[in-house]
Amino acid sequence: MNMEYGPEAKNALTKLIQGKPLTIHVYDKDPYDRLVGDVYCNGIFVQEKLLRKGCAWHYEAFDKRSSFAQWQKEAQNAGRGLWANPNPVEPWEFKKKERNRRNAERDQRMPMI
């Protein structure tokens, strides 16, 4: 939520799915042993909708589906959603910077022995 365009993406997802039944087709586990799946809401493929609106990133390192890359590219080319920013920060890079920032803050608070 602290990322640029995070609140807007959350609002788009909330508007799409809130109070509606979801169907999740689990097809894999990620390297952290979490379930991975495709999400549908009233017949709408949620990942496709969010990618096309520029409300989500396609993480190609974990998902090689060319359709996802194409939907993201369409949003980029049209400057939709997060792609209105000419230099958006990837979520994985944002998380790394936040982790480094928190570690630096923690290190500054620790007493020297």
Side-chain angles (χ1 to χ4, degrees):
M1 284 305 299
N2 294 328
M3 283 189 63
E4 182 177 356
Y5 206 77
E8 293 88 350
K10 179 186 176 196
N11 289 340
L13 177 61
T14 300
K15 185 177 177 182
L16 179 63
I17 68 169
Q18 189 169 33
K20 300 171 189 156
L22 300 177
T23 302
I24 302 172
H25 298 281
V26 175
Y27 61 84
D28 202 359
K29 283 190 176 184
D30 71 8
Y32 305 101
D33 207 34
R34 297 175 296 197
L35 298 175
V36 178
D38 290 330
V39 181
Y40 293 85
C41 181
N42 291 335
I44 295 169
F45 187 23
V46 174
Q47 291 105 299
E48 176 183 359
K49 190 77 159 179
L50 295 177
L51 283 165
R52 286 182 182 267
K53 289 181 79 169
C55 294
W57 288 80
H58 173 217
Y59 196 8
E60 294 180 40
F62 288 110
D63 193 318
K64 304 289 185 197
R65 289 181 275 188
S66 61
S67 55
F68 281 36
Q70 181 59 39
W71 297 329
Q72 178 172 293
K73 189 55 129 176
E74 289 171 7
Q76 282 177 294
N77 291 340
R80 287 193 292 267
L82 68 95
W83 304 109
N85 178 339
N87 298 304
V89 177
E90 294 95 342
W92 44 95
E93 290 300 323
F94 177 83
K95 288 177 183 178
K96 186 184 344 178
K97 288 178 185 174
E98 282 294 297
R99 192 170 38 252
N100 291 340
R101 182 189 59 75
R102 283 192 308 273
N103 288 341
E105 286 176 358
R106 182 200 64 221
D107 292 346
Q108 287 178 345
R109 290 190 307 266
M110 294 186 80
M112 300 294 279
I113 298 177

